[in-house]
Amino acid sequence: TPMNYREALQYTLSFTDYEKLPASAYAAADFDLRRVEELLHRLGDPHLGPRTIHIAGTKGKGSTAAMIASALTAAGHRTGLYTSPHLHTLRERIKIDGEMISEEDLPAIVDSIRPHAEATNTETNYGKLTTFEVLTSAAFVYFKKRNVDFLVLETGLGGRLDATNVAKPEVCIITPISMDHADILGQTIGEIALEKAGVIKAGALVISAPQPSAAEEVINEAAASHGNKIIQAGRTMTWNKLSSGLGGQEFELTSGKGVYRLSIPLLGRHQLENAAVAVAALETLDIDVGPIAEGLLKVRWPGRLDILRREPLLLVDGAHNPESARRLREAIQEYIDYDRSVLIAGVSCDKDIAGIFHELSPITGSIIVTHSRHPRAMPSEQALEAVNKSGLHATTSNGVIDAIERALSAAGPRDLICVTGSLFVAAEALEHVHGVPHDRL
């Protein structure tokens, strides 16, 4: 009997899902790309067809990927986009020309993979497939079935051992690198950069966002070791914000190929940096300025400096480490005018909550500590203790919805309510305010 959508979800999630386990489990895992390659080979090597752009980094991967995919679609190319994690449904991770894989196509694809996945697990000695590896393989099969021209891939975590790293990219992009997942990827910027730069392969053009010096050195060495040309976006391009409002921003970007006047519906100077990296990649793919401008204008990337309502202003952002919290603070200070602020924050159990609150403290009025329904969520009581130790005062809530409703009931029309700390918290805020449905098992 063919799978239905619920059964496809259950099957995909029946493998080890490291996104739901503590970092210690991920750090101890034995990842081996040979098992992914074996599964894909049994499926006809669907990952080797389309022209591929592969994106690794700590911050900005998803935004950059979405911008590139949107512009490629605007240029008339059928474009597959594979990203992670998702906010509400696994289907968000697999898109063609902005449309999620349907609830009919996903089970059909997973059903076709199942016997090959079981054979791979039974007949090889490369370890057992994971949820992410099976889902990545499903994405490749779907994109091949739909004959995409381009494939834009975002790594899950790291790069060197990530399931997406079986691809043979035409362009490799490294977005800004900062400290995150230190227990898994390394204790220094250089060590983390080495894992991210593991996506660089011979024959691919390398594009790097502005990086800390330690990361830049590692990326340059990785590119040189393969004989690859590298474009440093922060040196070959300049960008300047022209205007901004709650609906987005307009900016001017200058590259070796000309001057662009562009608009994006995303806030924050870091999004201008992401846009510059995206334009650098699109230029190498010979995409004209018209589709680039159209694609950036139409890009959608929810949960990142995302305004859900006004009066009071309710903003969500999945800032889950100190660096992303710093960028959130800077964006609020530059782009948003408000009277008082309420910070609603919840994090995963392995995150540097003290560092996050340190970065956000200059814009923090009152604080409500919360937790998402995700199994890796830090309990509110534990987060409250960390907040109190940092010298701030907070109250706890019975989940994200309770925190939002309490904040809304006390806020004035010119107040700011900022919901942040993890994408899982941001997702629950979106579901509550906009009624977005999510996968339920």
Side-chain angles (χ1 to χ4, degrees), residues 1-5 7-8 104 107-108 110-112 114:
T1 303
M3 286 184 179
N4 59 34
Y5 180 61
E7 290 167 340
E104 293 73 37
V110 172
D111 213 10
S112 71
R114 178 165 51 178

Coordinates of all heavy atoms in Angstrom, one line a residue, residues 1-5 7-8 104 107-108 110-112 114:
T1 N 0.8 -1.2 0.0 CA 0.0 0.0 0.0 C 0.9 1.2 0.0 O 1.8 1.4 0.8 CB -0.9 0.0 1.2 OG1 -1.7 -1.2 1.3 CG2 -1.8 1.2 1.2
P2 N 0.6 2.2 -0.9 CA 1.5 3.4 -0.9 C 1.3 4.2 0.4 O 0.3 4.2 1.0 CB 0.9 4.2 -2.1 CG 0.2 3.2 -3.0 CD -0.3 2.2 -2.0
M3 N 2.4 4.9 0.7 CA 2.4 5.7 1.9 C 1.5 6.9 1.8 O 1.4 7.4 0.7 CB 3.8 6.2 2.2 CG 4.8 5.3 2.7 SD 6.4 6.1 3.1 CE 7.4 4.8 3.7
N4 N 0.9 7.3 2.9 CA 0.3 8.6 2.9 C 1.3 9.6 3.5 O 2.4 9.2 3.9 CB -1.1 8.6 3.6 CG -0.9 8.2 5.1 OD1 0.1 8.4 5.8 ND2 -2.0 7.5 5.6
Y5 N 0.9 10.9 3.6 CA 1.8 11.9 4.1 C 2.3 11.6 5.6 O 3.5 11.7 5.9 CB 1.2 13.3 4.0 CG 2.1 14.4 4.5 CD1 3.3 14.7 3.8 CD2 1.7 15.2 5.6 CE1 4.1 15.7 4.3 CE2 2.6 16.2 6.0 CZ 3.8 16.5 5.3 OH 4.6 17.5 5.8
E7 N 2.4 8.8 7.1 CA 3.3 7.6 7.2 C 4.7 8.0 6.6 O 5.7 7.5 7.1 CB 2.7 6.5 6.4 CG 1.5 5.9 7.0 CD 0.7 5.0 6.1 OE1 0.8 5.1 4.8 OE2 -0.1 4.2 6.6
A8 N 4.8 8.9 5.6 CA 6.1 9.3 5.1 C 6.8 10.0 6.2 O 8.1 9.9 6.3 CB 5.9 10.1 3.9
E104 N 1.4 15.1 -1.5 CA 1.3 13.9 -2.4 C 2.6 13.4 -2.9 O 3.0 12.2 -2.9 CB 0.3 14.1 -3.6 CG -1.1 14.4 -3.2 CD -1.4 15.8 -2.6 OE1 -0.7 16.7 -3.0 OE2 -2.2 15.8 -1.6
P107 N 5.3 11.7 0.1 CA 5.2 10.2 0.4 C 5.6 9.4 -0.8 O 6.2 8.3 -0.7 CB 3.8 10.1 0.8 CG 3.1 11.3 0.4 CD 4.1 12.4 0.3
A108 N 5.3 9.8 -2.1 CA 5.6 9.0 -3.2 C 7.1 8.9 -3.4 O 7.7 7.8 -3.7 CB 5.0 9.7 -4.5
V110 N 9.4 9.3 -0.8 CA 9.9 8.5 0.3 C 9.6 7.0 0.1 O 10.5 6.2 0.4 CB 9.3 9.0 1.6 CG1 9.7 8.1 2.8 CG2 9.8 10.4 1.9
D111 N 8.5 6.7 -0.4 CA 8.1 5.3 -0.7 C 9.1 4.7 -1.7 O 9.5 3.5 -1.6 CB 6.7 5.3 -1.3 CG 5.9 4.0 -0.8 OD1 6.5 3.3 0.0 OD2 4.8 3.8 -1.3
S112 N 9.5 5.5 -2.7 CA 10.4 4.9 -3.7 C 11.8 4.8 -3.1 O 12.6 3.9 -3.6 CB 10.5 5.9 -4.9 OG 11.1 7.1 -4.6
R114 N 12.4 3.9 0.1 CA 12.5 3.0 1.3 C 13.2 1.7 1.0 O 14.1 1.3 1.8 CB 11.0 2.7 1.7 CG 11.0 1.7 2.9 CD 9.6 1.7 3.6 NE 8.5 1.6 2.6 CZ 7.2 1.5 3.1 NH1 6.9 1.6 4.3 NH2 6.3 1.4 2.2

